[in-house]
C-alpha cells in the first residue's frame, strides 16, 4: 500500500546527503560519520557546512552575551524547553563565558512596536565546541533560534547540531497569514497555536480579518451592539485581543486588524442599521457570496461612527497599519438609493468606484488622526489615492505591479489563497517579485511581500489546521528565502519534516484526519480506509461552492463530511507523481519502482473491510463510488505495468477506454478528488 | 496484525443485538430492520426497548415544555449542535407542540449553587413519532441529553433513535474527578475539555488540587507571593478560575477546590516562610515524594493567614465544600522544632496526628465562618472531628466504612488512582459500597460516592487526556449505574465506542499516541511500529517512580519517551485476552480464532522497517529489546498453536523455557510492559 513505499522513500531521501539549494555557498559535506540533513524551512540565504558536530545532551549550557530583555528571555526559555522536550537533554545556564555551548548575542531589543523595518537578520555559527547566535534584535534572535531548532539531528548515537555557518535575512519584509474569523469564528487557542506555527516558519504578520457579513468578532465598548447583535456570541473580548497581540509580539509577529468596509458589513448593521444605505432591518448573513449591504458614504454620522470605532480599535492594536478591506462592494444599494445618487451627482462621483474612492478619501484623515496607515484590497487603488496606502492584491501580480509603478506599496495574495485547495507546489511557484518583472529597483522595493489567505467559508476550528498547514510553510519559504530557491522536490522533501515539527506545537493538521475518520466510521479501526483516503483530497473552492449553494449550506452547517477529514495536497500527490515519473523515464530499468507501483495498485482493490466501513456510515457511503473507481485505477495500473514491462502492445481501444475512465474519475464525487490522476494519465499515455 | 482482527471483532459485536445488563427491565428487541445497539455509558437504571425508530434528519424539531432558563438554553443549544455535527441534520425549533420531534420538559432550574442533593434524575421516552425528555432540574435534563446523544444509531439508511423508555438516576451523589495541577500545571483549555468529557459520562464533581510542594496554582490578591514566587508563572488567574467554575456549572458539575495543608506546602513557603515550622528559606520543590515543610500550627499568624486566604478562595469557589488535604505530613519539622514540641506538651498533644488534629480543629471554625464544609484525606479522621467533615479515602473501603460507622460521610478514591496505570477493569471492580459491606442503611447512606484521581508526577498537558480517558468512563459508570452492572466484557465493548465519542470533544487521548510516535520516529510513516506499540503500555506507578528517582527526574523533565506516547490499558489487553480465552476453551473447535491468533503472532516478527525506525531514534532505541521479545512471543505463540491443533506434545523442557521467557518479558524495559503476557502464559500452560 501507498504508505509503505512512501516511508522507505522518505527515509532514504533523508539519509542521503542533503540537496543544497541554488543559493547555498557550499554543498553540505559529511561531518565524520554524522551526516547533516538539511531540513531547514525556510531555507537561509547563506549556509556553509563545516566539519564535525556539537552534541546536544544533558548539561548543554547557554548564556547571553550583550543585552537581553524580558521578551528575549521568555523566547529563549520557550525554545530551550522545546529542545528539552525533543531531546530529553536538560539544558542549564553556563557559569562562565568559556563554558557555554550556546551563546546568544543580541545587540538591542528592537522596536517597541514592531514595524516594517525591524531587523530580522541573524548569523549562526556552530562548531564542535560551541554555537554562537548573533542578531541585531530580539526578533532576529527568535528567527535564529528557530533555525537552531530545525538543525538538530538525531540518530542512534543521540542528538547533535551540525557544524554550520549561516547568514540569514528575509527577502521580503511582510510575510503574512490572514485568517477570516468573520465567516467562521476561531477560538483564541486556535489563533495562538497558529502564531506558534507562523513563528516556526519565520512569518511576521498576522492579518486578522475581524468582521464580515457573517459575523462581527471584536468587542467594542463604544458600540456594544456590534458583537451584541452581530456575532452570535462568538467574538473576542478586548482582553483576548490584547492577549493575542502580546502573544504575537512575544514571537516577533505583528497583528494587523482588518475591518472590512464599506461592503461586507451586514453584521455591523444588525445592531446599527443607521450605517446602511438601505432601510433595513438587517440580520446576520448565513450564506456566502457578495451581498448588497454597504455603508452610507453620504452621511456624516457614518464617519463619526467610524472615527470613534476605529479610534477604539487603534488603541487595541498597536501596529502602524490598519486594514479597511474595501473589496467586493457591488454598489446595488448605492444605485437604489436616490439620496446617494443625488449626492454622487452633486460631488461629480461617477459610479460605484468613484463613490467608494470618496469614502476612502474620507477615511484617510480618520486613520491618520489615529496614527494608522491604511491598507486595503485591490479595489482601494483609485486615482488620487495617497501614496502611503498599501494595496493588497487578490487579483494578481499585474495589478500589484501596476500599483508599484504608480508609487504604491503592495502585498501579493493572489496565488496564496489556502481555501482554493491548491497544492503547496502551486503556491510555491507564485513569486511576489518574479525575475522577469520589468519593475525598476525603486518600484520593486515597493513590493513588501505577501500573505497567505485563509478565507473561512468551509473551515472551522476543527479543520483549520490542515487547511493552513503545512502548505503555508511553502509560502513562508517563498517570502523569506532567496528567489532562486525553487526546487519543488526539495521543498516537498523538507515539507514532510516541517509538518512533523509543526505537530509538536499541538497543531492537529495531521491527527485530525484520522480523528475525523474514526468519528465517521464509528470505530477506532480505520486502517482499511487508508489506501483510499490517502489518494483523496478536497475539491477546489468553486466546486465546493457550487455544491454548497445547491445543497443549502449556510454558516451554521456542520463540517462533518469526508471532505472535511481530508487534508489538501496530501503526501500521495507529490510522492506518487515522483515515483511514476521516475518509472516512466525507463520502465524496463527500474524493477524496484515497478514493484512499488504494483504493490500500490494492488492496495487499491476494493477491500471488503473498507467497503463495509464505507457502507455503514451515512456520510462515508457517499464516497463509495470513489472506492470502485480506485479499484479500476489499480487494475488499470497493473495492466499498464504489464504492457510496459513485457513490451507487448495493449489491445485495440484499451488506451481510449482507460482515458475515458480517467476522465470519469476526474469528476467530483462527495466533494473529493483523486491526487493520482495526472500520474495515471501519464502512465496510460505511455502504453502503445 | 492485531488491529485487523480487533476491528472485525468489534464491528460484529456492535452488530449483534445488545447485551442487556443485569438490571434492565427488558432485553433490547430488534426494531424492524433497525437493531438498537446499546452503547450507553454509564448504563441507565432502567431501560425498556420498544418498537420502531425515530429518524434524525434535517428538519428534526425541538421545543421546550414548562420552564427553561439561560443555562438550560445554552446546554440544549450545545447538545443540538453536537447532534448536527454528528449527523449533518439541521435541527429547528418546533412551531407547535404537536409538531415537535423532541420535547424537553424541565420542572425547575435546580439549585443556585449545585449541591449534594441536586436532582439529576430524568426520564426519556422515544417512540417512532416523538422523543420526550423530562427532568426535575436543568442538571437532570443535561444528563438525559447525554443519553439521547449516545442513543443515536447510524447505518447506511441514515441516523435514527431507537424507541426506548428510560428512567434514570445516579446511584451515588458524588461522582468526581480530581486533577493535581500542583505537580504539573494544566492550562484552562485542558481543564475545560476535561469538564466536557466528565459531563458526557455524567460525572458531577471536579476536584481541583490547586497547591502542592511543587507549585501554587491559583492567584491570591491578598497574598500575591503565593503564585509570584511559588508557581514558576504557571497558575490560574482569578478570572480564569471563575471561567472554569462557570463552565462547570453550565455542565452540571461542581468545582471543589483543594488547598492541601498543613503538609505539601513547600510552594506556599517560598513567598511566605513565616508559615513554616522550620527557618527556611524555601524553594519550589522539584522532586516527588513526601517532604518535610509543614505549616506551624502553634502560631496565631498561621490561622490569620489561612482565615484571610481561605476567605478569599471561598468567594471564588461557590461550592459548599472546601478540601483541606491534610495528607502525608511526616511530622519531621514538628519534631525538630522545640517550640512546637513545647506547645504540644502544654496542650497535651501526643504525636504528629494529635498536633494535626489540633490544627484541623482550628481550621474548622475558619471554614464555617466562610460558609464552607470541610473535606480532607483519610488522615483528617481523628477523634473529636465533627461529624460534618467529609473524609476522602485513599486508603480503601475499610477506612471509609470505619468512618461511616463513626458517623462520617466519605468518598472512595482508593482503587481509582489513574496514575497507577491499572486497567479500566480493575477500577470497574472497585465499588464504594460493595454488596457484602456490613453497613447499616444509615451508615451506607454516608458513602457519598467516589473520585477518580489524576496525580500528576508523570503527566503533562500533552499526555493527560490518555491518562484520564477512556478509563475514567468505567469509574463514572461504577458511580452512576446500579451495583449489578458488572460485566467487564460489556463495559469494554461500550468503552471503545465511548472513547470515540470523547474524541469528538477534541480530546487527544487517541490521537496523541501516533502524534508522539511521529515525533519520536521523525517520520509520518509509523505503521511498522504498530504491532509492537499496540501491545505495550506504561509500567505501573511504583516502577516509574523508582526509575525516575534513579535517573534524576524532576518536575522540569520532559515527557518525551515512548512510555509517554503509550496509553494505559490499550484495547489489545482485553481483546487479545478475550480471543485467547475463547480459543483455549476449545483449541480444535475454533479454526477462525486460531487463524486470527496465528496472524497476530506473525505480525509480531521483528519487521526490518520497524527495527530501522526504532534504531534511528535515541528514545525509541531503548525499546529495541521489546521488539526482540515480541518476536520471541510470536514464535512461541505459533509453536503453541501448532502443538495444540495437532495434538502433539511439546518437546521436553519447552514449556519451562517458554515460561522463563515470559518471566523475562514481564520485567520493565524502557518503562513499558506488555499487555498480552497473561494470555500468553495461559496459552503456554495449556501445552503439554
Amino acid at each position: 500500500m501507498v504508505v509503505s513505499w512512501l516511508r522507505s522513500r522518505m527515509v532514504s531521501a533523508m539519509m542521503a546527503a542533503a540537496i543544497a539549494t541554488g543559493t547555498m555557498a557550499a554543498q553540505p559535506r559529511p561531518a565524520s560519520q554524522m551526516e547533516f540533513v538539511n531540513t531547514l524551512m525556510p531555507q537561509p540565504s547563506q549556509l556553509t557546512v563545516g566539519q564535525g558536530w556539537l552534541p546536544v545532551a544533558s548539561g548543554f549550557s547557554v548564556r547571553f552575551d550583550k543585552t537581553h530583555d524580558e521578551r528575549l528571555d521568555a523566547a529563549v526559555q520557550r525554545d530551550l524547553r522545546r529542545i528539552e522536550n525533543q531531546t530529553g537533554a536538560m539544558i542549564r545556564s553556563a557559569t562562565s563565558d568559556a563554558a557555554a555551548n550556546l551563546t546568544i548575542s543580541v545587540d538591542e531589543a528592537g522596536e517597541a512596536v514592531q514595524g516594517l523595518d525591524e531587523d530580522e537578520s541573524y548569523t549562526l555559527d556552530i562548531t564542535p565546541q560551541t554555537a554562537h547566535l548573533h542578531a541585531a534584535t530580539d526578533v532576529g534572535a527568535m528567527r535564529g533560534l528557530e533555525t537552531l531548532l530545525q538543525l538538530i539531528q538525531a540518530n542512534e548515537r543521540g542528538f547533535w547540531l551540525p557544524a554550520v555557518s549561516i547568514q540569514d535575512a528575509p527577502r521580503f519584509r511582510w510575510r503574512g497569514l490572514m485568517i477570516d474569523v468573520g465567516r467562521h469564528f476561531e477560538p483564541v487557542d486556535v489563533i495562538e497555536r497558529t502564531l506558534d506555527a507562523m513563528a516556526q516558519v519565520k512569518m511576521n504578520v498576522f492579518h486578522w480579518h475581524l468582521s464580515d457579513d457573517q459575523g462581527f468578532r471584536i468587542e467594542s465598548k463604544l458600540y456594544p451592539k456590534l458583537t451584541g447583535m452581530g456575532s452570535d456570541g462568538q467574538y473576542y473580548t478586548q482582553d483576548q485581543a490584547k492577549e493575542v497581540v502580546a502573544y504575537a509580539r512575544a514571537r516577533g509577529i505583528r497583528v494587523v486588524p482588518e475591518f472590512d468596509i464599506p461592503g461586507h458589513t451586514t453584521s455591523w448593521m444588525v445592531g446599527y442599521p443607521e450605517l446602511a444605505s438601505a432601510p433595513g432591518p438587517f440580520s446576520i448573513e448565513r450564506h456566502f457570496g457578495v451581498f448588497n449591504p454597504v455603508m452610507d458614504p453620504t452621511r456624516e454620522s457614518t464617519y463619526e461612527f467610524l472615527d470613534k470605532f476605529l479610534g477604539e480599535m487603534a488603541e487595541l492594536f498597536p501596529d502602524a497599519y490598519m486594514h479597511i478591506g474595501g473589496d467586493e462592494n457591488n454598489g446595488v444599494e448605492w444605485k437604489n438609493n436616490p439620496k446617494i445618487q443625488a449626492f454622487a451627482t452633486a460631488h461629480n462621483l461617477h459610479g460605484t468606484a468613484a463613490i467608494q474612492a470618496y469614502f476612502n478619501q474620507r477615511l484617510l484623515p480618520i486613520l491618520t488622526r489615529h496614527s494608522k496607515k491604511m491598507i486595503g484590497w485591490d479595489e482601494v487603488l483609485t486615482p488620487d489615492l495617497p501614496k502611503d496606502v498599501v494595496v493588497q492584491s487578490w487579483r494578481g501580480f499585474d495589478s500589484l505591479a501596476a500599483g508599484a509603478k504608480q508609487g504604491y506599496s503592495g502585498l501579493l495574495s493572489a496565488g496564496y489563497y489556502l481555501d482554493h485547495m491548491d497544492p503547496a507546489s502551486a503556491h510555491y511557484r507564485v513569486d511576489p517579485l518574479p525575475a522577469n518583472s520589468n519593475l525598476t529597483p525603486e518600484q520593486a522595493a515597493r513590493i513588501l511581500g505577501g500573505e497567505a489567505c485563509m478565507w473561512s467559508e468551509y473551515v472551522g476550528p476543527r479543520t483549520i489546521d490542515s487547511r493552513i498547514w503545512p502548505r503555508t510553510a511553502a509560502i513562508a519559504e517563498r517570502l523569506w528565502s532567496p528567489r532562486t530557491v525553487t526546487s519543488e522536490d526539495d521543498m516537498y522533501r523538507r515539507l514532510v519534516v516541517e509538518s512533523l515539527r509543526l505537530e509538536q506545537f499541538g497543531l492537529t493538521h495531521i491527527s485530525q484526519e484520522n480523528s475525523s475518520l474514526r468519528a465517521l466510521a464509528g470505530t477506532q479501526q480505520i486502517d482499511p480506509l487508508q489506501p483510499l483516503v490517502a489518494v483523496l483530497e478536497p475539491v477546489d473552492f468553486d466546486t465546493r461552492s457550487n455544491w454548497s449553494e445547491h445543497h443549502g449550506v449556510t454558516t451554521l452547517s456542520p463540517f462533518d463530511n469526508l471532505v472535511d477529514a481530508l487534508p489538501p495536497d496530501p503526501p500521495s500527490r507529490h510522492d506518487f507523481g515522483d515515483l511514476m515519473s521516475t518509472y516512466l523515464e525507463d520502465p524496463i530499468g527500474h524493477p524496484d519502482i515497478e514493484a512499488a507501483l504494483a504493490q500500490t495498485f494492488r492496495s487499491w482493490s476494493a477491500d471488503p473491510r473498507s467497503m463495509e466501513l464505507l457502507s455503514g456510515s451515512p456520510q462515508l457511503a457517499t464516497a463509495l463510488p470513489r472506492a470502485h473507481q480506485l479499484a479500476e485505477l489499480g487494475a488499470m495500473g497493473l495492466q499498464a505495468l504489464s504492457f510496459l514491462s513485457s513490451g507487448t502492445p495493449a489491445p485495440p481501444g484499451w488506451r481510449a477506454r482507460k482515458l475515458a475512465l480517467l476522465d470519469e474519475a476526474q469528476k467530483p464525487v462527495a466533494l473529493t478528488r483523486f491526487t493520482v490522476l495526472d500520474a495515471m494519465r501519464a502512465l496510460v499515455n505511455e502504453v502503445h
Side-chain angles (χ1 to χ4, degrees), chain A:
Chain A
M1 89 194 211
V2 174
V3 286
S4 54
W5 58 260
L6 288 184
R7 196 197 68 76
S8 57
R9 282 178 61 78
M10 205 196 76
V11 169
S12 64
M14 290 179 58
M15 291 303 178
I19 302 156
T21 53
T23 51
M24 288 188 180
Q27 294 279 342
R29 284 188 299 270
S32 187
Q33 295 92 353
M34 310 279 232
E35 280 183 339
F36 161 51
V37 183
N38 178 348
T39 61
L40 298 175
M41 192 148 216
Q43 286 285 294
S45 330
Q46 295 279 334
L47 180 150
T48 315
V49 179
Q51 288 288 333
W53 64 90
L54 174 63
V56 180
S58 282
F60 188 91
S61 63
V62 179
R63 67 177 270 275
F64 285 105
D65 196 8
K66 304 186 184 170
T67 65
H68 56 111
D69 60 356
E70 205 176 319
R71 177 167 71 148
L72 184 60
D73 286 347
V76 168
Q77 281 310 310
R78 271 197 317 271
D79 289 334
L80 295 182
R81 188 73 192 154
R82 286 164 62 200
I83 295 176
E84 291 181 333
N85 283 334
Q86 182 186 345
T87 65
M90 295 303 289
I91 296 174
R92 58 185 180 79
S93 293
T95 47
S96 76
D97 287 17
N101 296 114
L102 168 64
T103 301
I104 299 166
S105 171
V106 178
D107 298 338
E108 54 176 45
E111 301 174 63
V113 174
Q114 188 174 326
L116 263 179
D117 296 318
E118 182 88 22
D119 188 339
E120 299 180 86
S121 70
Y122 68 93
T123 63
L124 179 60
D125 290 288
I126 303 177
T127 71
Q129 290 74 45
T130 59
H132 192 103
L133 171 66
H134 174 260
T137 67
D138 286 1
V139 179
M142 292 180 207
R143 306 294 178 246
L145 283 164
E146 294 293 346
T147 300
L148 183 86
L149 270 149
Q150 295 188 2
L151 282 170
I152 294 176
Q153 317 275 307
N155 61 12
E156 70 287 358
R157 296 169 60 184
F159 294 92
W160 46 280
L161 286 162
V164 291
S165 176
I166 290 174
Q167 290 90 46
D168 201 8
R171 180 174 169 218
F172 291 107
R173 291 178 287 170
W174 191 303
R175 306 176 306 282
L177 169 65
M178 186 218 73
I179 299 185
D180 165 16
V181 296
R183 289 174 178 81
H184 282 101
F185 182 70
E186 296 293 341
V188 168
D189 64 318
V190 172
I191 300 297
E192 290 185 347
R193 74 186 183 218
T194 304
L195 290 166
D196 283 328
M198 288 173 66
Q200 190 172 87
V201 294
K202 301 183 169 61
M203 298 182 93
N204 66 356
V205 179
F206 170 50
H207 169 174
W208 210 353
H209 183 88
L210 282 163
S211 67
D212 216 306
D213 294 306
Q214 296 82 358
F216 195 96
R217 306 300 187 194
I218 176 80
E219 176 190 20
S220 165
K221 298 192 181 191
L222 298 177
Y223 298 102
K225 286 188 285 184
L226 286 170
T227 55
M229 298 177 71
S231 76
D232 298 304
Q234 294 196 302
Y235 64 94
Y236 308 100
T237 63
Q238 294 204 354
D239 282 345
Q240 288 177 317
K242 283 177 199 157
E243 178 189 324
V244 166
V245 168
Y247 197 94
R249 173 165 172 80
R251 285 150 185 83
I253 297 173
R254 300 163 44 206
V255 177
V256 175
E258 175 179 351
F259 308 99
D260 198 353
I261 50 179
H264 283 288
T265 46
T266 310
S267 65
W268 306 54
M269 294 160 185
V270 183
Y272 299 95
E274 61 271 27
L275 290 170
S277 302
F282 297 87
S283 59
I284 297 175
E285 182 58 57
R286 302 298 181 196
H287 295 84
F288 304 117
V290 175
F291 303 98
N292 297 344
V294 58
M295 289 183 175
D296 185 337
T298 69
R299 287 204 196 108
E300 283 311 302
S301 58
T302 301
Y303 302 104
E304 285 157 19
F305 183 108
L306 288 172
D307 188 16
K308 284 192 195 158
F309 171 74
L310 294 176
E312 186 185 10
M313 293 298 116
E315 294 208 5
L316 206 52
F317 296 100
D319 199 82
Y321 288 86
M322 189 172 269
H323 204 302
I324 54 95
D327 56 318
E328 297 185 323
N329 167 21
N330 65 12
V332 169
E333 289 193 354
W334 287 352
K335 290 194 191 87
N336 291 345
N337 183 326
K339 194 192 64 141
I340 294 174
Q341 287 304 314
F343 181 94
T345 307
H347 288 74
N348 208 20
L349 303 169
H350 302 295
T352 300
I355 303 175
Q356 187 161 339
Y358 166 83
F359 174 82
N360 289 340
Q361 294 288 358
R362 294 293 308 271
L363 268 185
L364 265 167
I366 293 175
L367 288 186
T368 305
R369 187 156 57 250
H370 299 301
S371 308
K372 298 296 181 193
K373 296 177 199 164
M374 183 188 281
I375 321 180
W377 296 98
D378 271 324
E379 289 92 330
V380 301
L381 185 54
T382 49
D384 305 328
L385 186 75
K387 296 292 188 267
D388 59 351
V389 174
V390 173
V391 180
Q392 179 167 14
S393 179
W394 60 270
R395 288 178 177 155
F397 177 74
D398 290 346
S399 167
L400 190 68
K405 285 178 184 168
Q406 293 173 53
Y408 295 100
S409 294
L411 299 173
L412 187 63
S413 278
Y416 299 143
Y417 269 33
L418 299 166
D419 57 327
H420 284 196
M421 302 286 122
D422 290 326
S425 52
H427 299 308
Y428 198 61
R429 281 192 288 272
V430 176
D431 194 316
L433 190 55
N436 62 359
S437 83
N438 58 0
L439 299 183
T440 66
E442 196 188 1
Q443 292 164 350
R446 294 188 188 120
I447 310 291
L448 302 177
E451 282 189 2
C453 290
M454 183 73 263
W455 298 106
S456 67
E457 279 88 343
Y458 305 116
V459 71
R462 187 101 194 201
T463 57
I464 193 167
D465 286 2
S466 72
R467 272 59 189 148
I468 298 180
W469 307 105
R471 292 182 301 155
T472 295
I475 299 172
E477 174 157 292
R478 174 58 50 241
L479 298 173
W480 176 282
S481 302
R483 179 193 279 151
T484 47
V485 177
T486 54
S487 162
E488 290 171 25
D489 284 337
D490 195 56
M491 180 273 285
Y492 274 113
R493 176 185 69 79
R494 290 177 289 109
L495 195 65
V496 293
V497 184
E498 179 54 33
S499 189
L500 292 173
R501 285 193 289 251
L502 290 166
E503 187 174 30
Q504 286 312 295
F505 272 123
L507 293 174
T508 62
H509 60 296
I510 300 175
S511 59
Q512 180 249 326
E513 178 175 12
N514 280 351
S515 169
S516 294
L517 289 174
R518 285 189 284 269
L520 287 168
T523 167
Q524 206 165 329
Q525 307 303 331
I526 51 171
D527 287 18
L529 295 174
Q530 294 301 334
L532 175 62
V533 296
V535 296
L536 289 180
E537 67 175 337
V539 291
D540 63 33
F541 180 82
D542 288 344
T543 306
R544 184 159 189 174
S545 229
N546 288 335
W547 184 92
S548 299
E549 250 176 62
H550 287 100
H551 288 78
V553 169
T554 72
T555 54
L556 304 175
S557 301
F559 297 113
D560 69 332
N561 283 306
L562 177 60
V563 61
D564 301 303
L566 299 173
D569 199 23
S572 61
R573 172 191 277 103
H574 178 261
D575 290 339
F576 185 81
D578 190 23
L579 194 72
M580 183 63 80
S581 54
T582 310
Y583 171 74
L584 291 178
E585 281 164 18
D586 179 9
I588 313 292
H590 290 122
D592 54 333
I593 291 184
E594 185 187 332
L597 282 172
Q599 194 189 343
T600 303
F601 292 145
R602 281 190 294 270
S603 79
W604 290 355
S605 68
D607 178 350
R609 297 173 309 151
S610 166
M611 303 307 277
E612 188 189 342
L613 285 177
L614 292 170
S615 317
S617 150
Q619 291 106 328
L620 290 178
T622 60
L624 271 167
R626 284 297 190 218
H628 295 294
Q629 287 173 329
L630 187 64
E632 287 179 324
L633 294 177
M636 171 195 306
L638 288 170
Q639 289 167 21
L641 292 184
S642 154
F643 297 139
L644 291 173
S645 67
S646 65
T648 50
W654 184 90
R655 186 161 65 170
R657 284 195 306 276
K658 298 306 168 190
L659 290 174
L661 264 182
L662 286 167
D663 288 344
E664 188 60 30
Q666 197 97 40
K667 296 178 185 162
V669 171
L671 296 176
T672 67
R673 54 182 169 173
F674 284 114
T675 60
V676 293
L677 296 187
D678 288 351
M680 290 304 290
R681 199 175 293 274
L683 175 67
V684 168
N685 276 322
E686 205 65 21
V687 175
H688 299 288

